Amino acid sequence: MQTNRKHHISHDPIHDSAIKHVQGISIYIDDMPQFHKELQACPAVSPYAFADIKNIDISEALKAPGVHCIITAKDIPGENQMGPVFHDEVCLADKELLCVGHTYAVVAADTYEQAYLATKLIKLDAIEKEPILTIDQAIAADSRLQPLRVIERGKVDETLAKSKHILKGQFKSGAQEHWYLETQSCIAVPGEELEMMVYSSTQHPSETQAIVSEVLGIPRHEITVETRRLGGAFGGKETSGNHVAAWAAVLARKSGRPVRMRLTRDMDQAITGKRHPFQSDWKIAFDDTGRIEAYHVDMHTDGGMATDLTMAILERGMLHAENAYYIPNIRINGHSWKTNLPSNVAFRGFGQPQGMAVIENAIDAIARYLGKDANEIRRINYYDTKERNIAPYGAEITQNHLLKIEEEILQCSDYLNRKKEIDDFNAHSKFIKKGISLVPVKFGISFTTSFLNQAGALIHIYSDGSIQVNHGGIEMGQGLNTKMIQVAAAELGVSIDRIKLTPTNTSKVPNTSATAASSGSDLNGMAIKDAVDQLKERLMPVAAQILGEEFKCEIAAENIRIENDLVFDQSNKKHSICFSDLASKAYFQQTHLSAAGYYRTPDIWFDRAKGVGKPFHYYAYGMAVCEVEVDTYDGKVKLQRARIIEDAGETINEQIDIGQVLGGFVQGFGWVTSEDIKWNEKGRILNASPDTYKIPGIGDIPVDIEVKLLEKAPNDNTIRRSKAVGEPPFPLAISAWMAIKYAIASLANHKLEPNLKIPATNEEVVLSVRDLEERLK
Amino acid sequence: MKSSIDFLYNGFPIHIDFEKEGLSPTTTLLNWARNHGHKEVKEGCAEGDCGACTVVIAKVGSDGKLHYKAVNSCILFLPVLDGKLVISSAGLVPETHNLNELHPVQKAIVEDHATQCGFCTPGFVMSIFALYHTKDHYTDDKINNALAGNLCRCTGYDSIRKATKAALKENIPDFYSENEALILKALKDIKTNTLNIRVGEQKYIRPKLIDEAIVLRGENPDAEIINGSTDVALKQSKHFQKLPVLLDLSGVEQLKFIEQKGNEFHIGAGLDLESIRFKAETVFPALYDILTVFASRQIRNVATMGGSLGSASPIGDLLPLIMAMNGSLVLEGKTGQRTIKAIDYVVDYRKTVLQADEIIHSIILPLPTEGEIVKMYKISKRTDMDISTLSTAFRLKLSDCKIDFISMVYGGMAAMTIHATEAEQFLKGKEWNEENISEAAAILEKTFTPLSDARSGDEFRNIAAGNILKKFYEESKLN
C-alpha cells in the first residue's frame, strides 16, 4: 500500500506509548520490579479430561526447595467460584476435574522454576471418567450447557417446504488461540488488614476485582485492581485474566506475601479457553435469481467445561446469522454444549464471525448452484434502506452503507476484471489455482447485555494546567488511550501534550465494563466528554471573570472559548489568557477542578426470551476482496492481494483505525487458514505452543494490501461521530477463505460444491481437493 | 581454561563468574537480562518461535569488523556470550521521550504506526537493527525472510514492513557504527579461552580448539553436545530439566568453514546455517531454498548443520537433501576421522552411529552435476518459521526423457528420514511422463505409515507424499 508518511504523521497523533514501545521501556505486569518477599506461582493442572478427585497430596511438594505456600480449594476463604455470569466454574477443582488443564492447586515459591518443579511433586489421586470432547459427542449425550435460544421471524418451515430451490449443509469453524504476546499475568500484593492490591493483565478490572472479592470473601472496597496496559488481549483477557488474579490473591492472602503469577506460553495455551468452535446445520430456500426466501440454521457451539461468556457469544453469532442480508423467513436456533475442554471464551468478533461464516458459505453455494457470480447473489439480498431493512430480531438496520461500499470496493479491487483473469489463469494452470471473493460484514455495536453499556471517567486539572485523564477502559494496543487523550484534548480545547493518561484503576473509576465488544472508545470517550463538559461549565464563569478583570470589561461566560490552549472571549479574541493561567487562577478562586464523567448508551434493549429488541446502538459495515493462490497438490495458500473498505464513521485517528482494520483482518486470516487446534482422544491439546500453532507471519501478508476507511460517513450520536473498529474487520478475512474455496471449486469447473471448513489449512485444502476429485469420478 | 565470561551489554562491561555467583551456566540470556533489570527483553514463548526476546549479538569478524546478528535470547546460554557485545532495544540510544532522538529503526516504527501493544516491538526493532547494520539491498521478500522469526498479533505486519523499508533507506551512522573502533578494542581486550564451568552438579565445557574438543569429548562421554543450542536449550527454557554435562562446540572456530572442493561442499559442523545459506545462493539453489524456510533468521544465525544432524530428528530439513545427494558425514574421535554415508548415519528414531567419543566434524555435500535436477520441498502449515509436516528431496537425471536415476528422500513420514525405495525402483528406466508419475504417486501414497500428530493427520501426509512428486514433475517440465 502506498501511503505518504509525512502526510499521516502530521495529522494523527502517534500511539501514546509508541516511543516507549520501541525502546522496550513500556511496563507490562511482569516488568514491574520485584516486591519485598515476593513469591512466584505456578498452577498444578489436571492431566485428565474428566475425573473424580479422590485426594490431593501436597506434602512432598511443600518440602521442595523454595516452596512457601500451596493452595487447594480448601484454602479459598470465600466462595470457590470464578464464573463471570453463571457461577458454574470453580476457582480450584475440588470434586471433579473437568478438562485437561483444569487447575486444582497452585504453588508459590521463591522462583518460578521452584514452583514449577514442586507442582510435579503433588500427588493427584483421581478416577478417570469418559470425557465428552466434540460437539457431536455432546449432542449424542445431550450435554447441554444452557437451554436453547431462538430468534425467529416469518414462516420458515412453510417456505422451505414450498420453495423451488433448497440447499443444505453443515458448516464447521474451529477453535482459535488468542496468542496475545504477553501471557496472563498478575501480581497480588497484600496490604493492611484485608486490603489487596492486584496488578492484573485483565481487560476487565472491575470483574477481576469482583472475582477476587468473592474468592477472598471480602467486600470489593478492600480490593484495588490496576492495569496500565496489556501486551495484546483480543478477548482472551476478558475473563481468563480473572483466574490468574484469583489464584495469586488467594496465595497472597494465605502466605501474607506478594505473589507474582505469569503463565508460561505453553501453560497459557494449554489451560485457557479459545474461540468457540461452531458447527452449524443450515437450510436455505431461494428463487431463480438467488434471492433468499427462507433460512434455517441450528448453531451448535462448544462452550467447553463451563458457561463463561458462551451465551453472549452464541447470542452474537445468532444476531449476525443473516449478516448483511434481508431474509424474510428465518429461524436461528442456538445450542450451547458442555464438553471436557477448557471453557471457551471471548475472542475478537465474539461469535459474529462464526455466525456470519455460515450464511456467507451458503450464499457461495447458491451462486455455484445457479451458476452465477456470488456477488450478484449478495447484491440482490443486501439489506435495503427503506424496506427490507428490519433485522430478524425486529431492529431497523440503520446507516446502511452496503451499496456505497460495494460500489467503491468493486472499483478499487477491479473485481470483475480480476475475476476474469483468474478464470483464464485457472483454465490453463494444472495445479496452481487462484480464487477471488468479495465478502461484506455488518457488525452490530454494543454489548448485547444492555446494562453493560455504561462507562466512567475521571479528569483532574492541576493548578499548573496539566491534566490527568483516567477512564474505565483498558489499553491493550488498540490505541484506546491515544484516542481518549485526543477526545479529552479536543473537547476541552487544549493540546494533547497537556494530558497524561493514567493506568486504569478500580479506585479511580468503579463498576466498569470490560473493554470489549469494540466499545472502548464509544463508551469511555463519551464519559470523558461528560467530565470535560462539567469542568468547562465550572471554568467558563471563572474565565469570564478573570478576563473581565484583566481587560477591564464585561465578558459573558457563554462567550468564552478554549482552543489550542488559549482561553478567550470569542467576541474579542485579544482578550485571552493561556489555559495554565486559567487553571492556576481558578484554583485560587476555589474552583473544583476534578470531574467524574459518566455515560450510558441510550435506547438499547434486548428481550432474550422472545429474541427481539434493539440490541445495537448502530452497525459498522465493511467489505473485503481477497485474491489467493492455492497449490492444490500441497495445500499451500498464498494471499496475493486484498482490498478492504471499513466504515469507521468519522475516524478519530485514521492510522490507529487502519492498524485495527489490518490487524483484525490478519488475525481473521489466521483463523480461516493456518490456525488449527487439535486435541487427542484423551482431550489433551496438541497445539499448545507456537512450534505447532501457527499464527500468520509477515511472509503471509502480501505487500499488495490496501485498507481504506469509508469517507463521509459520520456516525450519529457517538463520540466525535466515530465508529467502533476493533472487531468488525476480523470477519472480513472470510473473503480469503471464500477465495480459497473458489480456487478449489475451479478444479470441478465450479460445478461441484467443495467441502471445506474453517480453517482451510494445507491439510484441509488437500483433503477437500481429494474429496472433490473423488466426486468428479 | 576459565570459568567466567566477559561481554558487553549495550556497551557496558559484564563479568559473570558462574561458580562464584552460583549461577547455572545454562541460564538463558533472556532470564539473566530480565533478572538484571533489562526488562526490554521480553519472553513470548521461551522456545525461539516468536522473536519477542530478540537481541543482536555483535562480534569481531575475521575481517576485523563488527558483525551483527539477531538471535533469540530465550534459548541462548550465557557462556556463548564470552567476548561478544549484546545489544537490546534499550541500548540503541539513551532513554528518550523525544521522537527525533530515537534510532532510525525505532523512529520509523513509531512514524509508521507499526507498534500497537508493543510487546513484540523490542524484538522487531532488533531484527531490523541487524538488517540496518548489514549493508545489503533489501527486497520485500528479503525483509519478510529476515522478520519471519518475529511474530506480531496486533498490526498485521504491513506497517512493520513499511517501517523497515523506511529505516533501511536511512543511512545515518548510529552509536554503534560511530563507536566501532572503541567497541572493537573493548571486545578484543576480552581474553576468551576454553570455558570449563562447574556449578553444583552441572558442568559446562566450551572448548576453543578442535583437539581440545576431542579430548573433552573423550573425557565426557555422557555430555550432551550443543552447537547453537536452539533445540537442547528448550529442555531448560521450557521444562527446567537438569542438563548435567554440556559440551558446547560453538566456540571452535575450526568447525566454522564452508569450502567448495571440486563438485562438493565441505561444510564445517559448526558453521551457522545462515552463512551456509548465503554461500549456497548461487551454487546450490535447492540448498538455498530449504535453508530459506528453515526456522528463522535468528535461529539460523546460531544453529548449525552439526546440531541439526546431531539431533537426528526425523523431521529435520537438511538430512533429506544430504541423503538425496548421497552426501557424507565426517566424524572425528580420539582415533581420528572417519567418513560415513549420510544414508548410514541414522539407524533408528533419533539414534545415530556416532560413538561416545565422537563429534560431527563436517558434512560433505555433493553439488548437482550437469543435467541433474535437484529440488527440495517442505510442506508445513505456515511457509516460514515452521517445522515440516513432511519434506522431500528429489534428485533426478534424465536421458532422452527416460529416468536415468531418481532419488526421493522423505522426512516426516517415518521414525527416520528414508528413501522412497519402491517408487524409486518403479521409476528407474521409465519415461518421465504423467502416466508413470501418477503411478509412482499412487505407490508413494501407500509407501509410508506416518503418524497423525499436531501438524497433520496421516491421510494428508500420505496424499501429500504422492502429490509432491507430481509437483516436482510439473515443475521439472518448466526447467
Side-chain angles (χ1 to χ4, degrees):
Chain A
M1 187 171 92
Q2 297 299 312
T3 54
N4 182 337
R5 284 159 51 79
K6 298 298 170 227
H7 171 79
H8 67 65
I9 292 159
S10 61
H11 279 76
D12 291 324
I14 54 172
H15 192 288
D16 80 319
S17 293
I19 291 176
K20 292 188 278 282
H21 286 347
V22 294
Q23 298 174 83
I25 56 176
S26 301
I27 299 168
Y28 303 83
I29 300 292
D30 196 38
D31 298 336
M32 293 175 67
Q34 201 172 17
F35 286 86
H36 182 58
K37 296 182 85 177
E38 179 188 292
L39 301 175
Q40 304 212 11
C42 179
V45 304
S46 170
Y48 312 117
F50 194 27
D52 286 324
I53 296 176
K54 301 292 286 177
N55 188 39
I56 300 168
D57 178 2
I58 60 169
S59 55
E60 286 303 310
L62 269 174
K63 290 182 220 155
V67 172
H68 292 272
C69 183
I70 299 177
I71 52 164
T72 59
K74 58 182 188 297
D75 297 301
I76 296 170
E79 199 185 341
N80 182 14
Q81 85 79 33
M82 54 182 183
V85 182
F86 298 89
H87 282 197
D88 65 350
E89 187 168 8
V90 294
C91 178
L92 289 169
D94 50 358
K95 296 182 186 74
E96 276 186 319
L97 295 163
L98 294 175
C99 66
V100 175
H102 201 182
T103 300
Y104 59 86
V106 192
V107 180
D110 289 325
T111 68
Y112 176 80
E113 182 170 346
Q114 289 168 337
Y116 169 85
L117 293 172
T119 61
K120 308 286 168 205
L121 301 175
I122 298 176
K123 290 192 195 84
L124 171 69
D125 183 7
I127 297 168
E128 272 190 87
K129 298 189 280 192
E130 192 62 34
I132 292 170
L133 299 170
T134 65
I135 290 173
D136 285 330
Q137 287 171 7
I139 294 171
D142 197 29
S143 171
R144 273 190 194 272
L145 191 61
Q146 299 289 340
L148 174 74
R149 293 251 173 98
V150 183
I151 295 173
E152 185 167 0
R153 168 173 73 189
K155 297 171 178 169
V156 180
D157 297 327
E158 277 176 47
T159 318
L160 280 167
K162 67 177 190 211
S163 193
K164 189 170 169 194
H165 307 291
I166 289 182
L167 287 173
K168 58 184 176 179
Q170 185 178 70
F171 188 81
K172 290 182 183 181
S173 60
Q176 185 183 24
E177 161 63 36
H178 303 81
W179 233 87
Y180 28 69
L181 261 286
E182 176 207 33
T183 52
Q184 307 282 348
S185 309
C186 176
I187 307 173
V189 185
E192 274 187 17
E193 287 189 84
L194 297 176
E195 284 173 10
M196 189 67 73
M197 181 74 209
V198 180
Y199 301 93
S200 166
S201 67
T202 176
Q203 279 173 260
H204 197 348
S206 287
E207 191 169 79
T208 302
Q209 179 193 32
I211 300 282
V212 169
S213 134
E214 284 165 37
V215 294
L216 294 185
I218 55 177
R220 295 183 194 180
H221 68 214
E222 299 285 356
I223 295 147
T224 306
V225 177
E226 179 168 303
T227 306
R228 183 185 281 271
R229 64 167 60 79
L230 308 181
F234 319 111
K237 294 171 181 173
E238 187 169 347
T239 56
S240 307
N242 300 336
H243 304 188
V244 171
W247 299 328
V250 174
L251 276 168
R253 173 63 73 237
K254 189 180 178 194
S255 67
R257 293 168 67 159
V259 173
R260 179 179 301 234
M261 187 159 191
R262 179 184 65 86
L263 298 184
T264 59
R265 174 62 58 189
D266 290 28
M267 184 66 84
D268 191 303
Q269 271 189 256
I271 76 174
T272 63
K274 314 279 173 250
R275 176 182 297 281
H276 284 67
F278 270 53
Q279 177 173 310
S280 302
D281 299 299
W282 56 272
K283 254 186 260 175
I284 200 159
F286 49 96
D287 66 16
D288 291 336
T289 67
R291 184 170 270 206
I292 301 166
E293 294 168 337
Y295 179 54
H296 171 104
V297 60
D298 278 286
M299 292 181 183
H300 300 273
T301 190
D302 180 347
M305 66 161 181
T307 308
D308 190 80
L309 302 179
T310 296
M311 296 320 289
I313 289 160
L314 178 60
E315 183 169 274
R316 185 166 283 269
M318 295 168 71
L319 288 168
H320 291 82
E322 92 293 11
N323 192 23
Y325 313 105
Y326 176 76
I327 302 178
N329 305 292
I330 183 166
R331 182 188 302 121
I332 309 143
N333 291 335
H335 310 263
S336 56
W337 300 101
K338 184 176 176 176
T339 61
N340 294 107
L341 294 173
S343 183
N344 287 317
V345 299
F347 196 150
R348 202 174 196 167
F350 206 72
Q352 188 277 358
Q354 296 99 309
M356 169 196 147
V358 187
I359 188 81
E360 287 302 328
N361 181 59
I363 286 191
D364 197 53
I366 293 173
R368 203 160 283 113
Y369 171 89
L370 293 175
K372 293 181 179 228
D373 176 45
N375 196 44
E376 272 182 48
I377 311 294
R378 291 194 165 91
R379 189 180 306 135
I380 58 169
N381 284 294
Y382 281 145
Y383 275 114
D384 215 332
T385 48
K386 295 202 171 59
E387 45 196 34
R388 293 170 58 88
N389 64 343
I390 304 297
Y393 43 87
E396 188 185 335
I397 303 300
T398 53
Q399 301 178 332
N400 181 344
H401 299 313
L402 288 164
L403 289 177
K404 186 174 162 189
I405 298 175
E406 193 214 24
E407 188 187 334
E408 278 187 35
I409 202 156
L410 286 175
Q411 202 174 6
C412 76
S413 68
D414 200 16
Y415 175 81
L416 289 171
N417 286 325
R418 304 284 294 200
K419 189 172 177 196
K420 202 179 161 301
E421 283 168 27
I422 281 169
D423 288 340
D424 289 347
F425 174 90
N426 287 344
H428 298 101
S429 175
K430 181 153 182 155
F431 67 98
I432 302 288
K433 299 291 178 183
K434 292 187 178 184
I436 184 169
S437 175
L438 182 157
V439 166
V441 171
K442 170 187 113 294
F443 203 105
I445 302 297
S446 288
F447 288 100
T448 58
T449 302
S450 300
F451 75 83
L452 293 173
N453 296 288
Q454 56 175 321
L458 181 65
I459 302 185
H460 305 319
I461 300 175
Y462 293 94
S463 59
D464 65 349
S466 67
I467 299 164
Q468 226 180 48
V469 172
N470 195 278
H471 59 83
I474 293 291
E475 171 62 39
M476 48 189 124
Q478 85 279 46
L480 175 62
N481 282 357
T482 312
K483 284 185 175 180
M484 294 303 94
I485 290 170
Q486 287 182 261
V487 166
E491 293 293 330
L492 191 52
V494 299
S495 65
I496 59 171
D497 304 333
R498 200 176 276 283
I499 296 169
K500 164 90 181 170
L501 212 139
T502 53
T504 310
N505 185 306
T506 52
S507 66
K508 287 204 168 181
V509 179
N511 307 318
T512 57
S513 291
T515 302
S518 308
S519 69
S521 291
D522 282 4
L523 298 178
N524 295 292
M526 284 301 236
I528 285 171
K529 182 180 186 301
D530 179 44
V532 171
D533 288 346
Q534 295 172 45
L535 289 164
K536 276 163 82 174
E537 207 173 301
R538 289 179 220 152
L539 281 171
M540 294 313 183
V542 182
Q545 189 199 338
I546 292 167
L547 284 173
E549 281 168 14
E550 186 148 342
F551 296 98
K552 314 238 178 316
C553 58
E554 276 290 311
I555 297 175
E558 55 270 24
N559 273 347
I560 301 291
R561 293 290 176 274
I562 309 176
E563 282 172 22
N564 300 320
D565 287 323
L566 213 60
V567 185
F568 57 88
D569 172 6
Q570 66 166 350
S571 53
N572 184 351
K573 290 187 181 174
K574 282 181 189 152
H575 295 167
S576 70
I577 52 167
C578 80
F579 185 80
S580 303
D581 286 346
L582 173 62
S584 162
K585 289 183 171 150
Y587 165 71
F588 286 114
Q589 294 206 10
Q590 296 170 297
T591 310
H592 183 197
L593 290 176
S594 173
Y598 180 78
Y599 174 72
R600 63 169 170 265
T601 312
D603 306 326
I604 50 174
W605 61 280
F606 186 63
D607 184 333
R608 283 193 175 131
K610 297 198 179 103
V612 295
K614 179 183 180 291
F616 304 116
H617 190 34
Y618 62 88
Y619 297 91
Y621 303 88
M623 287 188 194
V625 172
C626 286
E627 295 177 29
V628 299
E629 185 184 285
V630 177
D631 182 327
T632 58
Y633 279 164
D634 66 16
K636 184 175 288 184
V637 169
K638 253 193 251 167
L639 179 62
Q640 292 200 303
R641 191 172 187 258
R643 293 292 179 271
I644 297 169
I645 296 178
E646 183 64 37
D647 159 28
E650 246 170 40
T651 176
I652 291 174
N653 187 318
E654 186 181 9
Q655 290 307 311
I656 281 180
D657 282 352
I658 285 176
Q660 283 297 293
V661 175
L662 206 57
F665 170 80
V666 168
Q667 217 168 59
F669 181 69
W671 175 57
V672 299
T673 56
S674 60
E675 295 185 40
D676 189 18
I677 303 182
K678 296 177 196 285
W679 288 267
N680 72 7
E681 70 290 346
K682 291 284 201 179
R684 188 173 70 82
I685 187 169
L686 298 179
N687 310 76
S689 68
D691 70 329
T692 52
Y693 185 72
K694 295 300 177 188
I695 69 169
I698 191 168
D700 299 314
I701 307 309
V703 177
D704 194 1
I705 189 165
E706 274 184 27
V707 175
K708 275 191 209 160
L709 301 183
L710 185 66
E711 287 177 5
K712 298 187 187 114
N715 200 0
D716 302 328
N717 205 11
T718 52
I719 187 69
R720 303 198 75 77
R721 304 171 78 77
S722 66
K723 272 193 182 178
V725 75
E727 291 167 294
F730 182 97
L732 289 170
I734 293 169
S735 69
W737 182 88
M738 213 62 82
I740 296 168
K741 194 176 159 204
Y742 187 92
I744 295 171
S746 75
L747 285 168
N749 207 16
H750 303 287
K751 299 281 186 248
L752 291 178
E753 178 72 6
N755 288 314
L756 189 71
K757 60 178 190 272
I758 290 175
T761 57
N762 55 354
E763 177 175 22
E764 175 69 11
V765 166
V766 164
L767 295 181
S768 172
V769 166
R770 176 58 60 102
D771 168 73
L772 202 68
E773 286 168 348
E774 306 266 312
R775 281 152 61 203
L776 269 174
K777 278 178 190 166
Chain B
M1 293 216 204
K2 61 173 194 170
S3 61
S4 64
I5 59 165
D6 290 275
F7 63 98
L8 304 177
Y9 190 93
N10 290 332
F12 294 97
I14 307 286
H15 174 78
I16 297 176
D17 187 326
F18 293 96
E19 292 170 23
K20 225 179 244 171
E21 292 183 27
L23 183 69
S24 165
T26 52
T27 303
T28 61
L29 171 56
L30 169 77
N31 286 338
W32 175 87
R34 290 189 61 81
N35 284 336
H36 286 75
H38 305 296
K39 305 286 188 179
E40 74 278 10
V41 195
K42 307 291 183 200
E43 178 179 317
C45 67
E47 62 175 42
D49 263 304
C50 80
C53 68
T54 302
V55 296
V56 163
I57 295 207
K59 67 170 192 174
V60 187
S62 48
D63 54 2
K65 289 184 175 161
L66 273 183
H67 287 240
Y68 298 82
K69 284 180 174 186
V71 300
N72 294 120
S73 66
C74 69
I75 47 173
L76 199 74
F77 294 143
L78 285 174
V80 174
L81 301 176
D82 199 24
K84 295 182 181 132
L85 163 67
V86 179
I87 310 170
S88 76
S89 61
L92 301 190
V93 291
E95 189 173 322
T96 181
H97 295 284
N98 181 344
L99 178 68
N100 293 315
E101 287 172 2
L102 291 172
H103 187 279
V105 169
Q106 295 171 321
K107 191 161 179 262
I109 289 180
V110 173
E111 290 187 333
D112 272 299
H113 299 261
T115 174
Q116 289 185 19
C117 87
F119 204 88
C120 72
T121 306
F124 270 99
V125 166
M126 295 320 294
S127 284
I128 303 167
F129 173 81
L131 286 186
Y132 191 81
H133 278 275
T134 41
K135 315 270 182 273
D136 197 352
H137 174 69
Y138 280 99
T139 59
D140 288 315
D141 281 347
K142 285 187 175 180
I143 289 173
N144 286 349
N145 190 266
L147 300 181
N150 291 84
L151 295 178
C152 168
R153 193 54 153 168
C154 295
T155 63
Y157 300 105
D158 189 53
S159 53
I160 297 176
R161 192 162 44 211
K162 284 195 191 107
T164 307
K165 282 187 217 171
L168 295 179
K169 266 188 214 146
E170 302 283 339
N171 212 356
I172 310 162
D174 63 8
F175 174 85
Y176 292 91
S177 41
E178 278 170 354
N179 293 288
E180 185 164 349
L182 276 174
I183 295 166
L184 283 169
K185 184 177 179 316
L187 291 180
K188 283 175 187 163
D189 282 349
I190 297 173
K191 295 278 166 280
T192 61
N193 202 342
T194 292
L195 293 172
N196 197 333
I197 303 164
R198 282 156 200 269
V199 177
E201 307 279 283
Q202 206 177 16
K203 190 155 118 183
Y204 192 110
I205 315 158
R206 187 166 184 266
K208 295 276 288 177
L209 300 168
I210 183 101
D211 292 346
E212 269 183 295
I214 299 297
V215 172
L216 289 164
R217 174 67 172 141
E219 288 170 4
N220 297 280
D222 298 333
E224 186 138 26
I225 302 176
I226 55 173
N227 203 335
S229 81
T230 55
D231 189 23
V232 171
L234 272 61
K235 294 183 185 178
Q236 164 66 41
S237 66
K238 285 179 57 157
H239 307 294
F240 303 102
Q241 281 177 25
K242 296 261 181 285
L243 298 165
V245 192
L246 285 172
L247 175 60
D248 180 353
L249 298 180
S250 67
V252 183
E253 289 296 321
Q254 292 155 298
L255 291 175
K256 299 179 201 268
F257 62 87
I258 181 163
E259 293 160 13
Q260 194 177 336
K261 287 188 185 168
N263 199 42
E264 288 172 349
F265 262 155
H266 288 224
I267 304 170
L271 186 66
D272 66 274
L273 297 178
E274 188 64 11
S275 297
I276 299 170
R277 176 172 168 265
F278 189 72
K279 183 84 178 178
E281 184 166 8
T282 48
V283 186
F284 194 172
L287 178 60
Y288 175 79
D289 289 346
I290 191 65
L291 284 174
T292 297
V293 291
F294 188 112
S296 64
R297 177 72 52 91
Q298 291 96 313
I299 299 285
R300 291 194 304 269
N301 275 337
V302 292
T304 55
M305 215 176 244
S308 177
L309 297 178
S311 75
S313 165
I315 44 175
D317 282 338
L318 291 171
L319 197 52
L321 188 61
I322 298 170
M323 279 169 65
M325 298 311 293
N326 197 21
S328 318
L329 284 80
V330 178
L331 312 178
E332 185 168 344
K334 53 189 174 215
T335 55
Q337 291 189 348
R338 60 173 175 136
T339 303
I340 182 157
K341 286 285 173 200
I343 193 171
D344 300 321
Y345 167 66
V346 183
V347 290
D348 202 346
Y349 178 69
R350 285 188 180 259
K351 272 208 181 109
T352 73
V353 297
L354 197 73
Q355 297 296 307
D357 70 321
E358 285 179 322
I359 61 167
I360 303 171
H361 174 275
S362 54
I363 292 88
I364 300 169
L365 182 61
L367 302 172
T369 54
E370 186 68 32
E372 263 183 6
I373 305 171
V374 178
K375 277 211 94 162
M376 175 143 186
Y377 296 93
K378 170 171 176 167
I379 294 181
S380 53
K381 211 171 266 175
R382 189 172 65 203
T383 305
D384 296 307
M385 192 61 215
D386 199 355
I387 291 169
S388 293
T389 304
L390 71 150
S391 61
T392 313
F394 293 103
R395 181 157 68 112
L396 171 72
K397 179 102 187 213
L398 297 174
S399 55
D400 298 333
C401 287
K402 283 222 169 70
I403 300 160
D404 218 17
F405 171 87
I406 187 162
S407 186
M408 302 191 266
V409 185
Y410 280 79
M413 298 299 286
M416 43 197 264
T417 306
I418 48 171
H419 276 269
T421 318
E422 195 187 338
E424 284 174 353
Q425 280 167 358
F426 169 82
L427 284 172
K428 194 168 162 62
K430 292 215 169 59
E431 212 152 302
W432 186 242
N433 64 24
E434 194 164 336
E435 201 187 329
N436 286 327
I437 291 301
S438 293
E439 266 192 71
I443 293 170
L444 285 167
E445 280 198 32
K446 296 192 177 75
T447 296
F448 308 98
T449 45
L451 294 175
S452 287
D453 63 11
R455 295 189 176 86
S456 94
D458 56 352
E459 190 185 359
F460 170 60
R461 282 194 165 97
N462 280 328
I463 296 172
N467 279 356
I468 214 165
L469 173 65
K470 293 184 195 165
K471 184 171 173 176
F472 176 57
Y473 169 74
E474 293 296 331
E475 292 186 348
S476 75
K477 291 198 297 188
L478 303 173
N479 273 6

